[in-house]
Amino acid sequence: MNETARPIRSRRWAPAIRAVAVTAALAVAGAGIGPAAVPARAQTAGRAMPIIRDTEIENLLRDYASPILHAAGLAKQNVKVVIVNDRAFNAFVMDGKHIFINAGALFDAKTPNEVIGVIAHETGHLAGGHLMRMREEMSRAQTASIVAMLLGVGAAVAGAKAGAGGEVGAAALTAPQSMIMRSLLAYVRTQEDQADHAGVKFLTETHQSPKGMMELFKRLAGESLFNSRYADPYLQTHPMPADRVATLEKIAHASPYFDQKDSPALQHRHDMMRAKLAGFLERPDTVARRFPASDQSLPARYARAISAYRHSDLRGALTQIDSLIQSEPSNPYFYELKGQALLEGARPADAVAPLRKAAQITRDAPLISVMLAQASLESKSKDAGRTVVGLLQNASTRDPEVPGMYRMLAQAYASEKDYAHADLASAQDAAEKGDIATARQLAARAKTSLPVGSPAWVRADDITNLKSPKSTARN
Ligand SMILES: [Zn+2]
């Protein structure tokens, strides 16, 4: 697990740190429904949530999610599936725009259908407006708990007057709170049932089987029986009592698509994803055990090649990656892997060609373009500045959330002696990191040299108007 601290990781795996705090609301609810009650923006003070960014996995998850989102009437909402770098089984929604899935859940799911089932269930929460309703319920509960507290204080005063001491008050204080908690839990149960029903409906509408979702939930319910102390976080937000599972089984078996299988092509992409996650996140001995050298399948070779570049010698890894490329010369992610291995092995000039190939096949996938930009920048070829600016500008319009992109863009502009745009990019970098004061300062400086009213000037102007999180939190 110490790999997490290696600077290598910060290039692409888990670099986009988003902060998530455990809130007072979570403590009130007890059952982990907190995330629903918390707007993602307001959580800058707490624990960090490490995110994995990867073109291959993100594309696969988008292919899993988009038919479901379409069936749910959410196609236009631009909902993204975000991978959380966490080995525990979990999936959740926090706002209307993202479905979060832990790497652990992707790892556990043997078939695409299981992950699609989880996405269908979470989409059920989104489509049902559960986040909004839970927020209302929570604020009601908080009001109720304030009332309960006042009642408790009242009772304590009354008790003191009656000569019974403070104990009566304490009892009066806890009783209503546990009632509130029970009613909130009942509310969560209702939402879970609704999300199950909606999930099965979306799966049926897209001619997919609810079997994966059913089996996964049955498995989790079994775990919660025997292992309640160490249960997966998913179970805390998704209580899985026997009757819920029984209901799910009944509606799942009623589906005309119950026996529908995932296509072999999709299963292969799924296996490649799991192999990739293993290669990047597992210890080398675990990878060697799960994918012994006798296993010559593409996923096994993929996992071993990744593990080799992460943990042993670059030359051995490159041989393995080249053999993967030979097996599938049009697979962009093998070139991407080669480029990444070379880049992180301090051979940026050699990384340019394979990354260029990966970018070409993926039609300039933003994450790959940014890695190519980095290789160009580090190899200091003569026209590096111009190439890099173009790549990064294109990437930033398609995906403004690629980690480290603005810092690199600033560097590229500076190498061209375009200091106004360099300042603007640095301002965007600071804003992304939450350093609003620095962002505003840099943007103000950029504005003085940019043509008034130009798109860059407007962006700089927007940043100078940003409010620091402290002042908004107080409002
Ligand atoms: Zn749920």
Side-chain angles (χ1 to χ4, degrees), residues 10-201:
S10 70
R11 283 242 169 76
R12 192 176 58 136
W13 280 74
I17 303 298
R18 226 153 283 167
V20 177
V22 179
T23 61
L26 181 66
V28 170
I33 25 183
V38 187
R41 273 274 159 196
Q43 303 165 359
T44 43
R47 281 183 305 157
M49 178 159 69
I51 304 294
I52 291 173
R53 296 292 320 263
D54 180 80
T55 309
E56 182 177 21
I57 300 178
E58 287 175 7
N59 284 349
L60 180 63
L61 294 178
R62 200 181 44 223
D63 289 350
Y64 286 172
S66 52
I68 298 290
L69 292 167
H70 199 266
L74 296 172
K76 290 207 178 90
Q77 256 74 336
N78 194 24
V79 177
K80 283 192 187 123
V81 185
V82 177
I83 312 142
V84 183
N85 189 0
D86 189 323
R87 286 303 311 272
F89 189 103
N90 204 9
F92 53 95
V93 287
M94 264 189 342
D95 53 21
K97 293 247 173 229
H98 303 89
I99 296 173
F100 296 87
I101 297 189
N102 278 11
L106 300 174
F107 225 51
D108 281 6
K110 305 249 178 324
T111 63
N113 188 243
E114 287 186 7
V115 178
I116 294 167
V118 169
I119 292 173
H121 174 93
E122 295 304 322
T123 303
H125 284 308
L126 291 181
H130 292 171
L131 292 169
M132 189 81 97
R133 295 216 191 114
M134 184 54 84
R135 231 164 266 161
E136 285 164 11
E137 197 72 7
M138 297 287 283
S139 67
R140 248 202 301 280
Q142 275 170 334
T143 314
S145 83
I146 291 165
V147 172
M149 215 162 75
L150 291 174
L151 281 175
V153 172
V157 172
K161 273 186 181 161
E167 284 168 36
V168 182
L173 190 76
T174 39
Q177 279 186 334
S178 78
M179 249 164 58
I180 291 158
M181 200 144 122
R182 237 174 293 148
S183 87
L184 267 177
L185 282 176
Y187 196 75
V188 170
R189 279 292 318 278
T190 315
Q191 290 197 338
E192 288 313 309
D193 288 338
Q194 284 173 1
D196 287 345
H197 275 86
V200 171
K201 187 171 145 258

